[in-house]
Every structure is written in structure tokens, then in C-alpha cells.
Amino acid sequence: MASLTGLLAGLLTETRVRTLGLVAPFDDAVLRRQHDPLMSPLVWDLAHVANYEDQWLVRALGAAPTPPGPALDGLYDAFAQPRAVREQLPLLSPAEARAYGAAVRARSLDLLGTADLAPDNPDPLLAHGYVHHMVVQHEQQHDETLLAAIQLLPVEEGHRFGAVSPPPAGTVTSQEVRVPAGRALMGSEHPWSYDNERPAHVVELGAYWIDTTPVTNADFSLFIEEGGYDDARLWDPAGWAWRQEAGLVAPQFWKRAGEVWLRARFGQVEEVPALEPVQHVCWYEADAFARWAGKRLPTEAEWERAARWDPLTGEAHTWPWGELAPTTGHANLGQGLLRPAPVGAYPLGVSPVGCHQMIGDVWEWTASDFRPYPGFVAFPYDEYSAVFHGDRYKVLRGGSWATHPSACRTTFRNWDLPIRRQIFAGFRCARDDR
Ligand code: AVJ
Ligand code: FE
């Protein structure tokens, strides 16, 4: 199992490099400040990922807590401390948080070195290195959260992290594809999958049409111009109430300048690029757009079938292109571009039925509530998924440009409240076959 140990140690190290790189440009005052009631001060996430790692890769494996110890657990418990008040807590300073993270990491790597990760280890935390990969995914998810908080900084304080230019838009031969009726595999039995992806099961789906690309900024501008935000008939009643209360008139970070729309992002103001997938829209905006277009949002089962099912072999893959790990030629993941890429930019990443950019670029809102799959068992703790099940949260699929490949696959389920739009979320539409 030496290679699995090495792989996990490498992922943990790569992830920490990214975490530290995300906070490096900012001084202590910026790191401690709460920039928005929806997001934590950056320094909270920094110590939270370390505390989580101490709980799961140190204490859960039988070792003593890393100083300063369990007294920190309450401060960094996401349930005990609502985001809006985290600035007022007696948090570790940025230097203390970095030192705590390094101390935990030294101990967790030490323990990993001698851990038995064999598939037949009766401890389900250790078999296949489950808990180590869970901690990798957790820190990667918080790296995306850190970026969502950084995107909310005033433009003068923003930072670009050496982003590289996106590949050019590509040719998309048709706007929608028809997916025939049939049995679709949903979920995953991969040893590293989350509890909410399990058990893998078969669902029966009718035929449907789904867009080959996410909805673009150009598409969304047309919805705005044609009065989409002012037509109550297009909106879910709760969405219309929210649109009124919050005064929604365009995606978050958009501003009208004469004839054009500008957007602010990471220290830059620029014209909204027409062919990029729209992002920073909430579920209610996506739902209203779909109705305006004479369509609807796909269910998560429809989304997953369009992303992974191969009509020639009948098999369902981990990625739209098969089983190979993603490269920068397959999908826009991992924060390198710091933005979505234009539609058609990843011909290698097209799914067998013909959908572009199912993975990466923007999280895609689906019609579905975040509910457990039949036979769901919470593992290894209720607060990852189980406490969010029900009709309050909507499922998002596919990962964004800010998602690391470790925390992304066609079966990965993300969720958020239907009013949220500071996340890197867009959508594509679907419709019934008739
Ligand atoms: C799966 C992105 C909804 O950020 O609340 C982080 C991930 N869980 N720490 C979140 C998570 C615990 C979670 N999401
Ligand atoms: Fe967390």
C-alpha cells in the first residue's frame, strides 16, 4: 500500500500549498475581517481545516490532540458558530493558525506513514485511506470557500493569484441533445465517495432534452433585456418574493455601464464576456430563466445521466470522458484560470451524449432538493450530509473552475440554499420530450 500512502501524502501537501497560497497575499487585518455576513473571516477557515484534520487524522486514529487541543473544537465548529458572528470569536491569529495547521499536519503525516490502508482493514476510516481522502476533499472545499470570500473583497483589495488565460471558445454543433428513456446508474461505490453519493442505484428516466452547454452571459443578458426580472409569471412564488426583497436585477457583481454590463472580480472590473457561462446567479434566477426560455432545470438524475452515460456501451463513467483523471485539456478545474472558460473550450471533455463542460467552469443548479438516496447511511458523521437533507437545499452538480479534481466527479453532490449566489454557480436547461 506504499503507493496509496504516497498518493494521499502528496494530495495533502498539494492542498496545503494551495490553502496557504490563497491567504498569502493578504495582511492580518484583511484575514481577520468579516467581509460579508455569508462568509467567514479567512483566518477562520485556515484554523478550521487544521482543527478538522486534528479531529479526523490525529484523534480519530487514537493519537493525543495537537496543542492547543480540543478547547479549539467549539470555536471552529461550523454548527456552533454561525458565519456572520465568527469575526467576534477569540480566533487564533493568522500566525497562530498557520503554526497550528503545520503542527497538525506534521503529526497526521507521521501517523499516515504507519497506517494500514489495506481495503480489508476492518476500520472503515482507514480502509482505502478513506478518512485521509475525506480530509483532502474537506480542505479543497474550503479552498473554494476561501475564494468565494475573497471574491467579495472590495475591488481595490482583490488579488488575481497569477491566473492564466482561458482557452478560446470552441464549436458547439447543436444547442440541445435528446437523451432517450432508460435505466440510469446514479451514485458511486468508489471507496472515496461521500456518504451522500451512496448507494449507487438505478433510476428509470423518461426521454428528455438537455442543453449542450451552460447558459452564457449573452443568453442571460437577453433575459434581462426582455424584462425577465420584472415578470412575476416567470418566477417561483418564493423566488419572486426574494427577488423583490433583495432587489435582484442582474447576477451578483454585475453593473450596468451605458450599453454594456461590467463585472467585478478579484481586483478587476471588466466587460462581461459574452460566451462564458453565467455565474453568481441563485437557483431562483436560474429557474426563472429556464421558464422564460420555455424550458426547466434538469433533475440531478437527468444531469448525471447526460454527464456519464455512454449510449454505445451502456456504461456510466466517473468523468464525462471516461475514467482518466482530469487534465487541463479536459475541464476547467483547480483555480488556474480564476474564471469560467467560454463555451466549447473543452472538446476533449464532452460527454458521450454530447454535453460540454459538465465538469468544471460553473456549478450547475438542478431542479432537485438535497435528499438521501434510497438506503443512505450517514458516514462517518451526520453533519457532513444528513443534517442538510430535506427540501431546504437545492443540489448543484459538476464543480466549478474553483473546485479541485479531488472534490469533483459526475456523482459528486453539492448543495446550497436557493437564494445563494456568492458561490461559483450557473446552470443549463432541460425540457421534456414531446
Ligand atoms: C458541500 C460545500 C455544502 O461548505 O458547507 C465544508 C462542504 N462540509 N465543511 C459546505 C463542507 C464541511 C459543504 N458543501
Ligand atoms: Fe468544514
Side-chain angles (χ1 to χ4, degrees), residues 84-104:
V85 302
R86 289 177 186 168
E87 186 183 45
Q88 284 128 54
L89 300 172
L91 300 177
L92 296 183
S93 71
E96 288 166 341
R98 287 185 180 96
Y100 176 53
V104 172

PDB file of all heavy atoms in Angstrom, residues 84-104:
ATOM      1  N   ALA A  84     -21.881  34.562  10.296  1.00  0.00           N
ATOM      2  CA  ALA A  84     -21.999  36.015  10.464  1.00  0.00           C
ATOM      3  C   ALA A  84     -21.337  36.539  11.736  1.00  0.00           C
ATOM      4  O   ALA A  84     -21.042  37.729  11.833  1.00  0.00           O
ATOM      5  CB  ALA A  84     -23.474  36.418  10.438  1.00  0.00           C
ATOM      6  N   VAL A  85     -21.106  35.662  12.727  1.00  0.00           N
ATOM      7  CA  VAL A  85     -20.544  36.159  14.002  1.00  0.00           C
ATOM      8  C   VAL A  85     -19.108  35.668  14.235  1.00  0.00           C
ATOM      9  O   VAL A  85     -18.538  35.909  15.300  1.00  0.00           O
ATOM     10  CB  VAL A  85     -21.422  35.747  15.209  1.00  0.00           C
ATOM     11  CG1 VAL A  85     -22.837  36.268  15.045  1.00  0.00           C
ATOM     12  CG2 VAL A  85     -21.432  34.231  15.407  1.00  0.00           C
ATOM     13  N   ARG A  86     -18.513  35.030  13.270  1.00  0.00           N
ATOM     14  CA  ARG A  86     -17.194  34.429  13.507  1.00  0.00           C
ATOM     15  C   ARG A  86     -16.095  35.467  13.757  1.00  0.00           C
ATOM     16  O   ARG A  86     -15.113  35.178  14.423  1.00  0.00           O
ATOM     17  CB  ARG A  86     -16.823  33.490  12.350  1.00  0.00           C
ATOM     18  CG  ARG A  86     -17.680  32.224  12.381  1.00  0.00           C
ATOM     19  CD  ARG A  86     -17.417  31.286  11.218  1.00  0.00           C
ATOM     20  NE  ARG A  86     -18.391  30.176  11.249  1.00  0.00           N
ATOM     21  CZ  ARG A  86     -18.589  29.308  10.264  1.00  0.00           C
ATOM     22  NH1 ARG A  86     -17.873  29.396   9.148  1.00  0.00           N
ATOM     23  NH2 ARG A  86     -19.482  28.346  10.372  1.00  0.00           N
ATOM     24  N   GLU A  87     -16.288  36.675  13.232  1.00  0.00           N
ATOM     25  CA  GLU A  87     -15.286  37.718  13.449  1.00  0.00           C
ATOM     26  C   GLU A  87     -15.150  38.069  14.930  1.00  0.00           C
ATOM     27  O   GLU A  87     -14.088  38.483  15.391  1.00  0.00           O
ATOM     28  CB  GLU A  87     -15.669  38.974  12.657  1.00  0.00           C
ATOM     29  CG  GLU A  87     -14.620  40.061  12.690  1.00  0.00           C
ATOM     30  CD  GLU A  87     -15.079  41.314  11.943  1.00  0.00           C
ATOM     31  OE1 GLU A  87     -16.238  41.737  12.124  1.00  0.00           O
ATOM     32  OE2 GLU A  87     -14.274  41.854  11.166  1.00  0.00           O
ATOM     33  N   GLN A  88     -16.260  37.915  15.681  1.00  0.00           N
ATOM     34  CA  GLN A  88     -16.238  38.298  17.105  1.00  0.00           C
ATOM     35  C   GLN A  88     -15.650  37.233  18.023  1.00  0.00           C
ATOM     36  O   GLN A  88     -15.492  37.461  19.218  1.00  0.00           O
ATOM     37  CB  GLN A  88     -17.668  38.615  17.572  1.00  0.00           C
ATOM     38  CG  GLN A  88     -18.155  39.972  17.088  1.00  0.00           C
ATOM     39  CD  GLN A  88     -19.503  39.860  16.402  1.00  0.00           C
ATOM     40  OE1 GLN A  88     -20.448  39.333  16.969  1.00  0.00           O
ATOM     41  NE2 GLN A  88     -19.574  40.350  15.173  1.00  0.00           N
ATOM     42  N   LEU A  89     -15.334  36.080  17.507  1.00  0.00           N
ATOM     43  CA  LEU A  89     -14.803  34.995  18.348  1.00  0.00           C
ATOM     44  C   LEU A  89     -13.315  35.233  18.663  1.00  0.00           C
ATOM     45  O   LEU A  89     -12.619  35.894  17.892  1.00  0.00           O
ATOM     46  CB  LEU A  89     -14.952  33.660  17.617  1.00  0.00           C
ATOM     47  CG  LEU A  89     -16.373  33.237  17.256  1.00  0.00           C
ATOM     48  CD1 LEU A  89     -16.338  31.999  16.355  1.00  0.00           C
ATOM     49  CD2 LEU A  89     -17.197  32.968  18.505  1.00  0.00           C
ATOM     50  N   PRO A  90     -12.849  34.670  19.793  1.00  0.00           N
ATOM     51  CA  PRO A  90     -11.411  34.787  20.108  1.00  0.00           C
ATOM     52  C   PRO A  90     -10.591  33.822  19.249  1.00  0.00           C
ATOM     53  O   PRO A  90     -10.051  32.833  19.740  1.00  0.00           O
ATOM     54  CB  PRO A  90     -11.357  34.421  21.603  1.00  0.00           C
ATOM     55  CG  PRO A  90     -12.545  33.538  21.830  1.00  0.00           C
ATOM     56  CD  PRO A  90     -13.606  33.983  20.858  1.00  0.00           C
ATOM     57  N   LEU A  91     -10.529  34.120  17.948  1.00  0.00           N
ATOM     58  CA  LEU A  91      -9.885  33.218  16.987  1.00  0.00           C
ATOM     59  C   LEU A  91      -8.365  33.247  17.133  1.00  0.00           C
ATOM     60  O   LEU A  91      -7.799  34.241  17.592  1.00  0.00           O
ATOM     61  CB  LEU A  91     -10.260  33.629  15.553  1.00  0.00           C
ATOM     62  CG  LEU A  91     -11.740  33.619  15.197  1.00  0.00           C
ATOM     63  CD1 LEU A  91     -11.942  34.133  13.759  1.00  0.00           C
ATOM     64  CD2 LEU A  91     -12.344  32.226  15.353  1.00  0.00           C
ATOM     65  N   LEU A  92      -7.714  32.183  16.690  1.00  0.00           N
ATOM     66  CA  LEU A  92      -6.255  32.196  16.580  1.00  0.00           C
ATOM     67  C   LEU A  92      -5.863  33.308  15.606  1.00  0.00           C
ATOM     68  O   LEU A  92      -6.600  33.582  14.647  1.00  0.00           O
ATOM     69  CB  LEU A  92      -5.738  30.854  16.033  1.00  0.00           C
ATOM     70  CG  LEU A  92      -5.965  29.596  16.884  1.00  0.00           C
ATOM     71  CD1 LEU A  92      -5.318  28.386  16.196  1.00  0.00           C
ATOM     72  CD2 LEU A  92      -5.395  29.772  18.289  1.00  0.00           C
ATOM     73  N   SER A  93      -4.717  33.927  15.826  1.00  0.00           N
ATOM     74  CA  SER A  93      -4.226  34.925  14.869  1.00  0.00           C
ATOM     75  C   SER A  93      -3.788  34.194  13.606  1.00  0.00           C
ATOM     76  O   SER A  93      -3.600  32.970  13.630  1.00  0.00           O
ATOM     77  CB  SER A  93      -3.036  35.667  15.469  1.00  0.00           C
ATOM     78  OG  SER A  93      -1.930  34.769  15.519  1.00  0.00           O
ATOM     79  N   PRO A  94      -3.592  34.911  12.497  1.00  0.00           N
ATOM     80  CA  PRO A  94      -3.104  34.238  11.290  1.00  0.00           C
ATOM     81  C   PRO A  94      -1.812  33.451  11.537  1.00  0.00           C
ATOM     82  O   PRO A  94      -1.693  32.313  11.071  1.00  0.00           O
ATOM     83  CB  PRO A  94      -2.909  35.388  10.301  1.00  0.00           C
ATOM     84  CG  PRO A  94      -3.953  36.388  10.708  1.00  0.00           C
ATOM     85  CD  PRO A  94      -3.992  36.313  12.215  1.00  0.00           C
ATOM     86  N   ALA A  95      -0.882  34.006  12.292  1.00  0.00           N
ATOM     87  CA  ALA A  95       0.378  33.288  12.545  1.00  0.00           C
ATOM     88  C   ALA A  95       0.117  32.038  13.388  1.00  0.00           C
ATOM     89  O   ALA A  95       0.673  30.965  13.121  1.00  0.00           O
ATOM     90  CB  ALA A  95       1.375  34.200  13.254  1.00  0.00           C
ATOM     91  N   GLU A  96      -0.739  32.171  14.390  1.00  0.00           N
ATOM     92  CA  GLU A  96      -1.079  31.004  15.230  1.00  0.00           C
ATOM     93  C   GLU A  96      -1.809  29.935  14.423  1.00  0.00           C
ATOM     94  O   GLU A  96      -1.574  28.739  14.600  1.00  0.00           O
ATOM     95  CB  GLU A  96      -1.953  31.441  16.412  1.00  0.00           C
ATOM     96  CG  GLU A  96      -1.206  32.230  17.472  1.00  0.00           C
ATOM     97  CD  GLU A  96      -2.147  32.956  18.459  1.00  0.00           C
ATOM     98  OE1 GLU A  96      -3.347  33.148  18.143  1.00  0.00           O
ATOM     99  OE2 GLU A  96      -1.649  33.339  19.534  1.00  0.00           O
ATOM    100  N   ALA A  97      -2.696  30.368  13.532  1.00  0.00           N
ATOM    101  CA  ALA A  97      -3.453  29.406  12.718  1.00  0.00           C
ATOM    102  C   ALA A  97      -2.518  28.651  11.779  1.00  0.00           C
ATOM    103  O   ALA A  97      -2.644  27.434  11.599  1.00  0.00           O
ATOM    104  CB  ALA A  97      -4.544  30.135  11.927  1.00  0.00           C
ATOM    105  N   ARG A  98      -1.567  29.366  11.176  1.00  0.00           N
ATOM    106  CA  ARG A  98      -0.596  28.697  10.292  1.00  0.00           C
ATOM    107  C   ARG A  98       0.243  27.699  11.089  1.00  0.00           C
ATOM    108  O   ARG A  98       0.507  26.576  10.632  1.00  0.00           O
ATOM    109  CB  ARG A  98       0.323  29.716   9.622  1.00  0.00           C
ATOM    110  CG  ARG A  98      -0.335  30.539   8.528  1.00  0.00           C
ATOM    111  CD  ARG A  98       0.713  31.433   7.836  1.00  0.00           C
ATOM    112  NE  ARG A  98       0.136  32.238   6.775  1.00  0.00           N
ATOM    113  CZ  ARG A  98      -0.268  33.507   6.940  1.00  0.00           C
ATOM    114  NH1 ARG A  98      -0.170  34.111   8.109  1.00  0.00           N
ATOM    115  NH2 ARG A  98      -0.781  34.161   5.910  1.00  0.00           N
ATOM    116  N   ALA A  99       0.676  28.094  12.284  1.00  0.00           N
ATOM    117  CA  ALA A  99       1.526  27.208  13.098  1.00  0.00           C
ATOM    118  C   ALA A  99       0.737  25.977  13.554  1.00  0.00           C
ATOM    119  O   ALA A  99       1.253  24.852  13.544  1.00  0.00           O
ATOM    120  CB  ALA A  99       2.069  27.976  14.309  1.00  0.00           C
ATOM    121  N   TYR A 100      -0.520  26.196  13.944  1.00  0.00           N
ATOM    122  CA  TYR A 100      -1.389  25.080  14.357  1.00  0.00           C
ATOM    123  C   TYR A 100      -1.570  24.119  13.189  1.00  0.00           C
ATOM    124  O   TYR A 100      -1.428  22.896  13.332  1.00  0.00           O
ATOM    125  CB  TYR A 100      -2.725  25.656  14.839  1.00  0.00           C
ATOM    126  CG  TYR A 100      -3.787  24.648  15.216  1.00  0.00           C
ATOM    127  CD1 TYR A 100      -3.533  23.631  16.132  1.00  0.00           C
ATOM    128  CD2 TYR A 100      -5.076  24.745  14.669  1.00  0.00           C
ATOM    129  CE1 TYR A 100      -4.542  22.718  16.481  1.00  0.00           C
ATOM    130  CE2 TYR A 100      -6.082  23.850  15.018  1.00  0.00           C
ATOM    131  CZ  TYR A 100      -5.804  22.838  15.922  1.00  0.00           C
ATOM    132  OH  TYR A 100      -6.793  21.951  16.263  1.00  0.00           O
ATOM    133  N   GLY A 101      -1.844  24.662  12.015  1.00  0.00           N
ATOM    134  CA  GLY A 101      -2.022  23.826  10.823  1.00  0.00           C
ATOM    135  C   GLY A 101      -0.774  23.010  10.517  1.00  0.00           C
ATOM    136  O   GLY A 101      -0.864  21.819  10.179  1.00  0.00           O
ATOM    137  N   ALA A 102       0.384  23.624  10.656  1.00  0.00           N
ATOM    138  CA  ALA A 102       1.643  22.917  10.372  1.00  0.00           C
ATOM    139  C   ALA A 102       1.889  21.825  11.407  1.00  0.00           C
ATOM    140  O   ALA A 102       2.358  20.725  11.073  1.00  0.00           O
ATOM    141  CB  ALA A 102       2.802  23.909  10.349  1.00  0.00           C
ATOM    142  N   ALA A 103       1.550  22.110  12.666  1.00  0.00           N
ATOM    143  CA  ALA A 103       1.771  21.113  13.731  1.00  0.00           C
ATOM    144  C   ALA A 103       0.845  19.912  13.541  1.00  0.00           C
ATOM    145  O   ALA A 103       1.269  18.753  13.658  1.00  0.00           O
ATOM    146  CB  ALA A 103       1.541  21.763  15.101  1.00  0.00           C
ATOM    147  N   VAL A 104      -0.407  20.178  13.240  1.00  0.00           N
ATOM    148  CA  VAL A 104      -1.353  19.079  12.989  1.00  0.00           C
ATOM    149  C   VAL A 104      -0.862  18.260  11.802  1.00  0.00           C
ATOM    150  O   VAL A 104      -0.828  17.022  11.836  1.00  0.00           O
ATOM    151  CB  VAL A 104      -2.780  19.609  12.718  1.00  0.00           C
ATOM    152  CG1 VAL A 104      -3.696  18.487  12.275  1.00  0.00           C
ATOM    153  CG2 VAL A 104      -3.342  20.330  13.936  1.00  0.00           C
TER     154      VAL A 104
END
